[in-house]
Amino acid sequence: MAKPNHKIHALNGDSAATVTKKPKLSPSKIITDAEIQSEFSHHDTSVARINNGSFGSCPKSIISAQHQWQLQFLKQPDNFYFNILKPGILKSRSIIKTLINADHVNEVSLVDNATTAAAIVLQKIARSFAEGRYDKGDAVVMLHYAYGAVKKSVEAYVIRAGGQVIEVQLPFPVKSKEEIVTEFRKALEIGKTNGKKVRLAVIDHVTSMPSVVIPVKELVKICREENVDQVFVDAAHGIGCVDVDMKEIGADFYTSNLHKWFFCPPSVAFLYCKKSDHNENDLHHPVVSHEYGNGLAIESAWIGTRDYSAQLVVPSVLEFLDRFPGGIEGIKKRNHENVVEMGKMLAEAWGTHLGCPPEMCGSLVMIGLPDCLGISSESDTLKLRTHLRENFGVEVPFYFRAPKDEVDCATGYARISYQVYNKVADYYKFRDAINKLVTDGFTCASLPN
């Protein structure tokens, strides 16, 4: 099959010039395509890796910086702990504070991942139920498409403590953000029935599966109008993928992984906690160590002997980002443009559609798969994913959407990502693999259980 003449947006293209007010990089300092491929040369070249969203990607130079931190600890652990670790983590927190436009560095803690951050916030809510500050039956509202681990955390902490959970039933495919706003308002009304209160709203910034950018600013504003006590934004895919500004978003809590779209090694995330009387003394790391009671940021900076190197490489990541035109903002803009272009190419090739409008995509896009593949369960999506990995060298996750009464809605969707190391050939390889399956009369029913 001939390849369409798609042109991926160049690193030094005109579109990048307006994404930042920084002085232009001299040509000698701009990272080249060859240097980008070298930074990710540890990737398996036999696989079209179009799933950055799941585990992220760490450049070779950052892996080297991490190794130096690890060696520094092993060389003299006592000196590292007493004189190096805390200042190093503070420097990383200060960089994140600036990038997310927080008011104070004490509002920023570094933790292992967004799941840990969710546990911190939800344990605080559970204590409020257990200690009688919230009434039994008061509600936590969260999206139906909330990440599975966060749903389990709500079950483990909030429900067991006496809270009820209201899930916002979101449509998919999504046609507009107004659909999401409407369903969110309905859920808040349910949570307030019989005189009960909504104590916490859990809002994804970018849902994982299916992937859609949620209008968080609008939903947070609605929460304030409806007297929701506190708002937690789970932005596992946030920084480096979508706009992240704490003053504009206005949530009480916001977490984002730094290893997904910010090039850190796994695993590290930040948790922003807006300074307030509610949060000052009642946020704690789930692992209690010697720093308990000294504030969440300090507690999180020492939870016993472990590898803190992923938290310490943030300054090196910033140096890496500054080699790209526009820095992280330029990368984010180009990734979005490129993933939408590739998503449209795939949808056209398969006669399907995107899962939401381009403006509701970040660096991930959902594309409907041909109906003839016979995707009829989540089990089918996992089997198909394995089949493509093992037989075609394509790594991409799939989503099963239960059939409804609508016309022209696929039951299977692919979620593709775009990061700086990706090439057009990765997406052609995926396109051609699906086309071959269709031509061969393949169906998921033919795969072994």
Side-chain angles (χ1 to χ4, degrees):
M1 180 179 292
K3 295 180 179 179
N5 186 25
H6 289 280
K7 183 180 178 182
I8 289 295
H9 300 270
L11 283 172
N12 55 358
D14 294 338
S15 63
T18 60
V19 300
T20 180
K21 295 182 180 179
K22 288 184 179 180
K24 288 185 178 179
L25 293 172
S26 66
S28 63
K29 291 184 179 180
I30 294 176
I31 191 168
T32 65
D33 288 341
E35 288 171 330
I36 292 173
Q37 294 309 313
S38 177
E39 283 280 11
F40 298 97
S41 60
H42 50 285
H43 287 185
D44 186 345
T45 56
S46 68
V47 176
R49 181 170 162 162
I50 53 178
N51 182 32
N52 190 84
S54 285
F55 298 105
S57 51
C58 187
K60 190 159 55 176
S61 59
I62 306 305
I63 296 172
S64 177
Q66 180 186 29
H67 185 53
Q68 292 305 310
W69 281 112
Q70 291 167 333
L71 289 177
Q72 196 168 359
F73 167 72
L74 294 171
K75 179 180 178 181
Q76 223 293 42
D78 299 83
N79 179 63
F80 186 86
Y81 168 65
F82 285 107
N83 298 318
I84 297 173
L85 178 60
K86 289 183 181 179
I89 290 180
L90 178 60
K91 186 174 182 180
S92 293
R93 289 169 49 215
S94 298
I95 290 172
I96 298 302
K97 175 258 178 190
T98 300
L99 288 174
I100 68 173
N101 196 24
D103 280 325
H104 197 279
V105 70
N106 286 346
E107 295 177 319
V108 178
S109 303
L110 295 183
V111 296
D112 280 354
N113 47 46
T115 305
T116 303
I120 290 168
V121 174
L122 294 169
Q123 284 180 9
K124 166 189 157 54
I125 299 300
R127 285 193 294 272
S128 293
F129 278 106
E131 295 168 7
R133 292 190 294 275
Y134 296 164
D135 294 333
K136 302 293 184 182
D138 283 352
V140 169
V141 169
M142 68 177 178
L143 306 187
H144 174 63
Y145 294 133
Y147 189 59
V150 174
K151 284 190 171 186
K152 290 293 186 181
S153 293
V154 170
E155 178 184 333
Y157 302 127
V158 177
I159 295 177
R160 289 185 65 182
Q164 69 160 324
V165 178
I166 310 296
E167 291 194 7
V168 182
Q169 300 299 316
L170 297 183
F172 186 80
V174 182
K175 296 178 181 178
S176 70
K177 68 180 183 180
E178 284 72 28
E179 291 180 301
I180 295 173
V181 169
T182 297
E183 295 302 318
F184 189 76
R185 287 187 181 278
K186 289 179 184 177
L188 291 184
E189 287 304 313
I190 294 171
K192 293 190 295 183
T193 55
N194 300 321
K196 297 297 182 181
K197 296 182 178 180
V198 178
R199 298 299 187 174
L200 179 72
V202 181
I203 304 170
D204 299 69
H205 198 157
V206 183
T207 57
S208 175
M209 190 65 87
S211 183
V212 177
V213 176
I214 301 297
V216 289
K217 288 186 284 188
E218 291 91 331
L219 299 191
V220 172
K221 183 173 182 291
I222 291 169
C223 287
R224 301 309 182 201
E225 294 168 352
E226 298 296 328
N227 296 315
V228 175
D229 277 14
Q230 294 189 294
V231 181
F232 170 45
V233 175
D234 175 9
H237 292 276
I239 191 167
C241 182
V242 289
D243 294 339
V244 178
D245 186 311
M246 295 304 96
K247 291 185 178 63
E248 288 187 1
I249 293 170
D252 299 284
F253 310 104
Y254 187 104
T255 186
S256 178
N257 289 314
L258 298 175
H259 54 263
K260 283 189 181 290
W261 296 98
F262 195 71
F263 299 106
C264 280
S267 61
V268 58
F270 74 82
L271 173 59
Y272 163 83
C273 303
K274 186 176 182 181
K275 190 174 177 63
S276 71
D277 293 338
H278 289 292
N279 302 333
E280 201 66 21
N281 300 310
D282 200 24
L283 284 164
H284 299 287
H285 195 280
V287 177
V288 176
S289 193
H290 294 283
E291 297 289 1
Y292 180 83
N294 291 329
L296 179 62
I298 302 303
E299 287 184 21
S300 300
W302 182 252
I303 54 171
T305 304
R306 50 152 294 178
D307 185 357
Y308 293 91
S309 59
Q311 301 183 8
L312 295 166
V313 299
V314 173
S316 297
V317 172
L318 196 62
E319 292 177 7
F320 174 77
L321 295 172
D322 285 343
R323 297 172 65 192
F324 291 80
I328 191 63
E329 295 300 316
I331 292 171
K332 181 177 64 181
K333 181 176 186 294
R334 289 186 293 274
N335 284 349
H336 167 73
E337 292 170 348
N338 291 334
V339 82
V340 169
E341 187 174 352
M342 292 298 95
K344 288 180 176 178
M345 179 272 292
L346 292 172
E348 181 179 350
W350 300 333
T352 60
H353 53 268
L354 300 183
C356 64
E359 63 270 19
M360 297 182 72
C361 303
S363 302
L364 309 101
V365 171
M366 305 294 297
I367 310 106
L369 293 163
D371 288 339
C372 60
L373 295 178
I375 297 173
S376 60
S377 66
E378 287 189 20
S379 175
D380 282 346
T381 66
L382 294 174
K383 291 189 293 183
L384 179 59
R385 179 175 182 176
T386 300
H387 185 68
L388 283 177
R389 180 191 305 126
E390 295 179 350
N391 295 281
F392 293 92
V394 174
E395 187 61 63
V396 62
F398 298 110
Y399 171 70
F400 168 66
R401 177 193 183 275
K404 298 182 181 179
D405 296 332
E406 302 97 332
V407 176
D408 193 30
C409 279
T411 59
Y413 287 80
R415 188 193 76 182
I416 63 169
S417 301
Y418 196 99
Q419 188 50 287
V420 297
Y421 56 82
N422 282 123
K423 302 180 288 295
V424 173
D426 297 329
Y427 305 90
Y428 291 155
K429 188 175 183 180
F430 179 36
R431 175 202 64 189
D432 295 345
I434 294 297
N435 284 346
K436 184 174 188 334
L437 292 179
V438 171
T439 300
D440 292 348
F442 165 93
T443 67
C444 288
S446 65
L447 293 173
N449 292 322

